[in-house]
Amino acid sequence: MHASAKSTSPDNPFAKRKSHLEFYELLTKSILRGATYLILFVTASIFIHIFIKGAPVIFQSKAPFINTKFLTELPETLHILQDKQGKIYETDPKGSDIIKKELGSNLRQEKTMSYSGGGILGPIVGTVLLVVGCMIVALFLGISSAIYLSEYAKPGRFIEMVRLAILNLSGVPSVVFGLFGLGMFVLTAPVITSVPHERSLLVIPLGFSNLSFQGWDTSVLSGAFTLAFVILPVIITASEECLRAVPQGFRETSLALGATRWQTIWRSVLPFAMPGILTSSILGIARAAGETAPIMFTAALAFKDKLPWQGQSGFNGVFTESVQALPYHIYTLAARIPKNEYSERAQYGSVFVFLVLVMSLAMASVLLRKKLRAKYQW
Amino acid sequence: MNDNPNGISEDMQALLKKPGLLGVRVDRQSLIKHFFNGCAGITIITLFLIMWSLLRESTGFLPTYRWELSVYRQAGLEYADFIEKPLSEHLALHSKLNRAFNAELNTISRESKLRRDAAFLIKQQIEEKTVLQREPLQEALDAGNTPPEKITALRKTLTEATAAALGSEPLPKLFNESEKKSLTADLLGLQPDVTDMPPFIKSLMDKFIEQDKAGKEKYAAFISALDAFEEASEPITELHDGMKEQVLEVKKAATQQHMAEDAKFKLLEAARAAKTAEKREGFEKDAAQTDINPIDYKTNIDSLITKLPEYESLIPAYKDAVSKAMEGIPQKADTHEARELIDQVRKSFPKHLAHVDESVDHMKAWQWDKPIPLFRALTAFLFGGDWITNSSWQDFYGVIPLFTGSLLIAITALLIALPFSVAAAIYTNQFASPREQEIIKPFIEFIQAIPSVVLGFIGISVLGDLIKETSNIPWLQWIPGFPVQERLNMFNAGLLLALMAIPTMFSLAEDALQNVPRAFSEASEALGATKLQTVFRVIFPASISGVFAAMLLGLGRIIGETMVVLLVAGNRIAIPDFSDGIGAVFQPAHTLTGIIAQELGEVSRGSAHWQALFMVGILLFFISLLINFLSRKVVKRFQLPKI
């Protein structure tokens, strides 16, 4: 840049003396730089704080170096017992009974902390299910809409409206999407059932059964669909951009060779746009994984002692059961239980795992994009 | 085409035939096209479905709320509330005077109080630390038959443990060396069977009691004025309480009648839909049995209105008593805090008296049977100053407290985020080396991926205490609102939301700077402008539309954010008190998004409360549409000419 060129010039006896203008320039530049680096510093210190407090919960100095208990057990109430010699036992409800029996009259006091014991397997499983479901729905709908918008649509009223709708949807607060998911998927979406619920909006007899608009209740399915609609605008916009980036010549060549429109799209547009679409979608999915408000009323529970497939409905529970989710678990831990050394471990442990999950998604997308930019250049 | 007029051979015909599926001739290309068309249509449909599902759950809010408001009026709750207003003002004035009095009293007894409390605190800490030694001794003493040498041994271990605890616990600096010694002696002598306070601590307590007494003697006039002020309202409060009881009875009856009506209506519906005559008869019989007693509002109101003369007769006495009490309040207070508080009370006192008179006029003008239009229910929602739910008196759904909370947080966040993000954008785009750019840009974009609940957690666990500690630093006391009372407040939420909005605003502003044509800066530099002049006089003004749009979209993001404000804003439903100016941002508040997230899980479907929450959702939806619309307008309005 010009400024740097000026400053690197060698000592010149005829050079202009440093004027106050240059001093101001330096000052302004330092202020701007300071502001920029302050943002980076604050962010970095948040990450470091969570790492310092959270990493000891996950990692340990003995083999296998990872606290597997924290990652593979369901959350439960933590019991803290103290005997009269001042020895402290931390245990789960079952262990508490055994220790109490052992100690007998030697027990001095017992404290319980909800949600702080055990691990976070339930929330992890719930989040993974929700994110996978959301990814399938959002990618399918998002990429299809983008293909329509960039390949098929002719400019006109309808397209204007679609674009406006997408633009407006992207600004709607996620809690409103939560309300929408509650009204739409939890309370009115269609199910096939022989015994319609009384709140059902409309029952269509199908002969063997009924199609009842009674909703999916709070379940993985409702939550995944709600999340998918939250990130749909992002995915559509990103995918459309990637499709447009494929040079027009590719399409023209293919069409000139006699390929149909669909063959052109399938063979000579999508393969080049797909990597870009996927990388930008990952960022959207990272956002979906971090959202709490949309799943609060549609999928998440504060506490559940079973994994989704261990309920009554067997494997179907993966779709129909409500689950614990990491962000909601963190909210519960942060808002509903008092802060002390015992709860802090569960809090920072969950936050650390959650942040690592979301950040690795985001990081993957950033790195992939960098690589792809270098690879696909026309 | 299928007829064969041109004599094309059969083979040729087979070739010409369009590809079909299961004998149905489908044009595959157009099928595919329609499929994608449908997918795009879904996004439009979603927008409408969002509107529809919000509207479906919230329809009925206005009629329900109107009904609740009309019961509020007809049962006379509104009438009783006319008296409530001056009474609550009186309470507020009294509590301010009380605070002023305490500030005055503190000047005399503060020191001894602090010393006493510090001694108590250290005693408690020591006792906690030695509890493991204390309890066996207590047990041994309680048992009664323990051999004395064992008790002596236990006592010895306790004393040793106390000494050890004292070693690790520094004594407060309030005490000088000799006092510290006697305090240590006191603490070492702590035994479970000695119930009397140890001598030094006892002397501290006595000292406080003495000084407190002295202070109260000094301000005896103030105390009597305070008491007179408080007592003045007693007859009116009594009258008001009687009225409240009476109208609540009526309201209860009205609610029951409404429920009975509902039940009857449902039974009749069911009777109409019943398939067999038997069932229908059953339903109809049940419906006939649900008796609905019409409520006699009139007699109740008549007896209520007879209380007005009584109220009127109480007023002069009240005004006299209060004015006299005000005269007794000292003209010159000794402390700054007390002076300010008393000034505030003096200022609002004439207004309070006027309000007392006005309340009579309101009550005279009040008509119990004036109908409430539907429109009034809407304005009561949009401009109502109270959001009160699950109340034993009356539920109100007014969004103003929530809206001001949201707005104040958003403004705080925007004021913090805007300078930082614009500065970062200018620096990155204009001054940074390519290498720096490569670090800064992804890093700031990365902030976007931090889940909001994590930031909220940081706010609760770290930032809250940090703000509170900072606000206690003596040389920062000039900042309005310091020292901060609550660690969860609007400023805390604003800071975190600013961090959340920075990536959005940064990348949009940076794009806007990037889009300024090169010719602009080249022309400017060719005219001899320095880099700084070029940036601030040419490039930045040219990109101002993008910066505006960035600001608006950042605002949209801030207003719509839920988890941070739910966790961090403090969740107190009240319009912030602006009496200490800009320091109001250090008060807790509730927000539009937070209220939905917090309360929706706990209300039953279809109740007025549920519907009200969906109405809040609609309001948020429209706010976001408005912000989007404005940002597009701004971009169009300030668009650069194409070069």
Side-chain angles (χ1 to χ4, degrees):
Chain A
M1 300 229 169
H2 301 258
S4 57
K6 210 182 283 172
S7 63
T8 52
S9 55
D11 289 331
N12 179 353
F14 302 104
K16 199 174 61 181
R17 283 241 233 58
K18 279 208 168 180
S19 69
H20 68 284
L21 262 179
E22 273 169 51
F23 171 71
Y24 281 133
E25 180 156 341
L26 195 71
L27 188 72
T28 321
K29 204 174 146 183
S30 330
I31 290 174
L32 294 177
R33 174 184 267 169
T36 315
Y37 281 95
L38 187 65
I39 299 174
L40 304 192
F41 171 74
V42 167
T43 319
S45 50
I46 288 178
F47 281 124
I48 291 169
H49 174 78
I50 291 176
F51 183 81
I52 289 175
K53 292 264 200 167
V57 183
I58 311 298
F59 302 110
Q60 55 194 20
S61 52
K62 284 177 288 183
F65 302 109
I66 285 178
N67 183 355
T68 44
K69 196 168 167 268
F70 189 70
L71 295 176
T72 55
E73 279 187 11
L74 292 171
E76 56 198 7
T77 308
L78 183 69
H79 287 247
I80 302 141
L81 300 141
Q82 192 186 28
D83 66 11
K84 288 193 177 160
Q85 282 72 47
K87 200 169 168 217
I88 289 173
Y89 305 86
E90 287 169 33
T91 174
D92 53 9
K94 260 188 219 154
S96 140
D97 288 342
I98 298 170
I99 292 176
K100 258 194 253 173
K101 214 176 269 171
E102 233 168 66
L103 288 177
S105 63
N106 200 12
L107 177 74
R108 203 177 82 75
Q109 61 173 358
E110 179 179 10
K111 277 190 281 186
T112 56
M113 303 286 307
S114 334
Y115 317 120
S116 302
I120 50 167
L121 180 65
I124 292 178
V125 166
T127 294
V128 169
L129 286 178
L130 283 170
V131 169
V132 169
C134 151
M135 196 158 75
I136 294 170
V137 178
L139 284 186
F140 179 75
L141 279 179
I143 296 179
S144 318
S145 311
I147 290 178
Y148 175 76
L149 286 176
S150 101
E151 305 297 321
Y152 284 104
K154 294 187 186 72
R157 252 240 152 97
F158 179 67
I159 293 309
E160 285 281 292
M161 260 174 74
V162 174
R163 280 185 207 285
L164 204 65
I166 292 171
L167 199 73
N168 284 325
L169 271 180
S170 67
V172 173
S174 59
V175 72
V176 176
F177 275 105
L179 286 179
F180 154 68
L182 175 64
M184 204 55 224
F185 301 118
V186 178
L187 296 173
T188 31
V191 285
I192 293 175
T193 171
S194 45
V195 202
H197 197 271
E198 63 174 273
R199 69 154 184 253
S200 179
L201 196 70
L202 176 72
V203 181
I204 303 171
L206 293 174
F208 60 95
S209 188
N210 292 304
L211 185 68
S212 165
F213 286 80
Q214 64 182 31
W216 298 332
D217 277 326
T218 41
S219 62
V220 175
L221 211 55
S222 309
F225 268 84
T226 312
L227 280 180
F229 279 103
V230 175
I231 57 166
L232 200 55
V234 182
I235 298 216
I236 294 178
T237 325
S239 310
E240 206 196 329
E241 230 164 72
C242 294
L243 286 169
R244 279 181 194 280
V246 177
Q248 200 60 27
F250 284 30
R251 298 186 183 86
E252 282 157 8
T253 321
S254 167
L255 286 172
L257 286 171
T260 61
R261 184 124 234 181
W262 173 237
Q263 282 169 329
T264 306
I265 294 169
W266 186 244
R267 294 273 160 84
S268 38
V269 178
L270 269 186
F272 300 99
M274 214 53 189
I277 292 178
L278 288 183
T279 43
S280 21
S281 302
I282 295 175
L283 208 61
I285 286 155
R287 196 187 143 197
E291 285 283 2
T292 318
I295 56 169
M296 267 179 135
F297 336 112
T298 55
L301 267 188
F303 186 68
K304 190 161 188 168
D305 56 356
K306 278 187 186 128
L307 290 172
W309 53 83
Q310 289 170 340
Q312 285 179 343
S313 42
F315 181 73
N316 276 347
V318 171
F319 303 110
T320 58
E321 292 276 321
S322 52
V323 287
Q324 277 187 291
L326 263 179
Y328 193 58
H329 188 61
I330 292 171
Y331 165 68
T332 324
L333 287 173
R336 301 222 188 128
I337 57 174
K339 189 185 161 193
N340 59 29
E341 51 183 317
Y342 301 107
S343 62
E344 204 173 63
R345 212 174 34 201
Q347 286 171 347
Y348 278 98
S350 322
V351 168
F352 180 72
V353 171
F354 186 45
L355 207 60
V356 166
L357 277 181
V358 174
M359 283 299 148
S360 46
L361 272 177
M363 185 87 92
S365 102
V366 171
L367 290 181
L368 263 175
R369 191 173 58 190
K370 219 169 153 192
K371 247 192 176 161
L372 286 170
R373 263 196 196 152
K375 197 172 168 193
Y376 290 94
Q377 278 197 339
W378 293 289
Chain B
M1 286 269 267
N2 290 339
D3 317 337
N4 194 354
N6 304 334
I8 298 173
S9 74
E10 297 247 326
D11 291 353
M12 282 298 280
Q13 261 190 41
L15 273 179
L16 277 174
K17 207 163 92 179
K18 283 184 177 173
L21 191 71
L22 298 171
V24 185
R25 290 200 175 171
V26 195
D27 180 358
R28 227 167 65 188
Q29 293 303 319
S30 72
L31 202 69
I32 291 171
K33 186 184 164 180
H34 285 305
F35 165 74
F36 286 124
N37 194 345
C39 284
I42 283 181
T43 49
I44 286 207
I45 294 172
T46 314
L47 194 67
F48 285 111
L49 276 182
I50 289 181
M51 261 333 281
W52 176 77
S53 67
L54 291 181
L55 280 176
R56 188 175 67 117
E57 296 298 333
S58 63
T59 47
F61 171 73
L62 292 183
T64 320
Y65 194 31
R66 174 166 79 157
W67 179 81
E68 283 191 2
L69 286 178
S70 66
V71 170
Y72 173 67
R73 175 169 289 175
Q74 284 171 349
L77 276 79
E78 195 179 24
Y79 197 62
D81 269 352
F82 285 129
I83 306 182
E84 167 77 33
K85 200 182 157 208
L87 277 180
S88 61
E89 270 181 14
H90 172 263
L91 208 65
L93 289 178
H94 178 252
S95 92
K96 265 187 187 165
L97 288 177
N98 217 354
R99 267 165 63 199
F101 170 68
N102 280 328
E104 292 281 271
L105 196 60
N106 254 340
T107 52
I108 292 176
S109 58
R110 181 155 180 270
E111 170 101 35
S112 59
K113 191 178 172 197
L114 281 180
R115 284 158 63 95
R116 181 198 64 170
D117 289 347
F120 275 164
L121 187 70
I122 189 105
K123 177 172 172 270
Q124 201 186 350
Q125 279 167 347
I126 297 289
E127 276 177 344
E128 245 168 53
K129 282 200 169 174
T130 56
V131 72
L132 285 172
Q133 285 76 28
R134 177 179 312 278
E135 276 180 4
L137 176 58
Q138 179 79 51
E139 259 172 47
L141 286 169
D142 287 348
N145 54 3
T146 329
E149 45 293 2
K150 200 178 170 198
I151 291 191
T152 325
L154 283 170
R155 276 193 203 283
K156 208 176 151 213
T157 49
L158 176 58
T159 318
E160 274 164 16
T162 314
L166 269 172
S168 65
E169 198 80 38
L171 289 175
K173 285 188 189 130
L174 285 168
F175 304 106
N176 60 31
E177 283 308 315
S178 68
E179 281 171 335
K180 272 184 186 168
K181 255 182 210 150
S182 40
L183 186 60
T184 317
D186 271 9
L187 294 171
L188 282 174
L190 284 175
Q191 295 285 341
D193 51 343
V194 183
T195 45
D196 288 342
M197 272 290 162
F200 179 65
I201 299 183
K202 184 91 178 40
S203 73
L204 287 178
M205 283 166 68
D206 288 343
K207 176 93 180 152
F208 169 70
I209 291 171
E210 190 187 301
Q211 291 205 337
D212 195 52
K213 213 170 161 189
K216 281 188 177 145
E217 260 164 36
K218 187 182 170 195
Y219 294 111
F222 201 159
I223 296 182
S224 64
L226 257 182
D227 286 346
F229 193 88
E230 190 180 10
E231 276 162 22
S233 73
E234 262 168 26
I236 299 183
T237 313
E238 227 167 80
L239 175 79
H240 183 230
D241 285 348
M243 282 169 83
K244 266 164 97 170
E245 248 171 63
Q246 186 190 342
V247 295
L248 273 180
E249 285 290 311
V250 184
K251 187 188 166 187
K252 212 169 124 193
T255 318
Q256 270 170 1
Q257 183 228 14
H258 189 70
M259 270 153 61
E261 261 176 17
D262 238 26
K264 187 167 187 174
F265 180 74
K266 275 196 184 132
L267 282 172
L268 287 175
E269 272 288 88
R272 211 172 302 141
K275 283 177 183 138
T276 58
E278 220 172 284
K279 268 190 185 165
R280 185 178 309 146
E281 263 170 38
F283 281 133
E284 272 167 2
K285 205 173 136 203
D286 282 346
Q289 269 172 3
T290 339
D291 40 327
I292 294 169
N293 306 322
I295 308 279
D296 192 2
Y297 289 117
K298 184 91 177 63
T299 35
N300 166 51
I301 295 296
D302 285 344
S303 83
L304 207 58
I305 286 178
T306 53
K307 302 226 166 122
L308 179 58
E310 200 185 330
Y311 176 54
E312 256 180 303
S313 68
L314 288 175
I315 287 178
Y318 168 74
K319 278 162 93 174
D320 266 2
V322 179
S323 309
K324 210 170 271 167
M326 280 304 284
E327 276 163 25
I329 304 287
Q331 291 294 328
K332 263 196 182 161
D334 294 333
T335 57
H336 176 68
E337 191 189 349
R339 263 201 303 277
E340 245 176 34
L341 283 165
I342 291 175
D343 272 356
Q344 283 177 18
V345 172
R346 285 240 162 79
K347 228 185 238 170
S348 50
F349 187 65
K351 268 190 228 155
H352 169 60
L353 291 184
H355 285 161
V356 174
D357 289 332
E358 269 170 35
S359 70
V360 177
D361 299 338
H362 284 307
M363 286 166 87
K364 276 182 183 153
W366 183 72
Q367 288 169 320
W368 71 277
D369 47 359
K370 196 171 153 203
I372 291 178
L374 205 55
F375 181 67
R376 174 85 186 79
L378 183 65
T379 51
F381 171 75
L382 287 178
F383 306 111
D386 298 294
W387 181 279
I388 301 169
T389 55
N390 297 328
S391 141
S392 58
W393 177 247
Q394 174 74 23
D395 287 358
F396 288 107
Y397 305 104
V399 292
I400 287 296
L402 309 174
F403 187 74
T404 45
S406 278
L407 198 68
L408 215 57
I409 292 176
I411 290 173
T412 316
L414 210 57
L415 284 181
I416 299 166
L418 194 65
F420 275 101
S421 45
V422 171
I426 292 178
Y427 178 74
T428 316
N429 191 273
Q430 297 293 327
F431 296 104
S433 64
R435 221 213 178 104
E436 256 183 313
Q437 279 189 8
E438 238 168 70
I439 299 171
I440 294 171
K441 274 207 221 169
F443 203 106
I444 292 187
E445 270 175 44
F446 224 60
I447 302 176
Q448 215 163 10
I450 304 179
S452 58
V453 71
V454 170
L455 283 180
F457 172 71
I458 292 288
I460 278 195
S461 59
V462 184
L463 194 58
D465 295 325
L466 201 67
I467 289 178
K468 199 160 178 194
E469 271 162 34
T470 315
S471 78
N472 284 330
I473 298 174
W475 54 270
L476 283 177
Q477 293 310 312
W478 54 271
I479 298 177
F482 275 26
V484 174
Q485 303 292 324
E486 301 282 336
R487 75 196 174 91
L488 301 182
N489 53 44
M490 289 188 269
F491 181 73
N492 191 343
L495 269 182
L496 291 167
L497 287 177
L499 186 64
M500 286 198 74
I502 280 177
T504 316
M505 291 164 67
F506 167 80
S507 23
L508 285 169
E510 216 256 345
D511 278 353
L513 289 168
Q514 187 71 43
N515 287 341
V516 174
R518 256 190 96 76
F520 279 39
S521 58
E522 279 163 5
S524 159
E525 267 162 25
L527 287 171
T530 64
K531 179 78 184 162
L532 202 65
Q533 286 166 334
T534 311
V535 170
F536 283 100
R537 305 246 176 110
V538 177
I539 297 180
F540 185 66
S543 69
I544 199 75
S545 76
V547 174
F548 263 128
M551 189 186 86
L552 281 169
L553 290 178
L555 181 71
R557 185 142 190 199
I558 292 166
I559 285 203
E561 176 43 49
T562 314
M563 295 320 287
V564 168
V565 291
L566 180 60
L567 283 167
V568 178
N571 296 354
R572 190 183 68 184
I573 309 178
I575 298 175
D577 176 17
F578 288 102
S579 60
D580 45 352
I582 213 164
V585 294
F586 291 106
Q587 293 166 8
H590 219 314
T591 52
L592 292 169
T593 48
I595 201 93
I596 299 177
Q598 194 183 26
E599 293 186 344
L600 193 67
E602 291 153 17
V603 296
S604 60
R605 192 187 174 196
S607 62
H609 191 178
W610 164 282
Q611 292 166 336
L613 291 173
F614 272 84
M615 284 292 281
V616 176
I618 291 182
L619 188 65
L620 272 172
F621 185 74
F622 279 118
I623 290 175
S624 77
L625 289 192
L626 180 75
I627 289 176
N628 251 322
F629 173 78
L630 284 180
S631 70
R632 259 178 303 126
K633 271 266 138 78
V634 164
V635 171
K636 257 188 203 157
R637 172 83 179 67
F638 294 100
Q639 219 160 33
L640 287 177
K642 286 257 177 331
I643 296 184

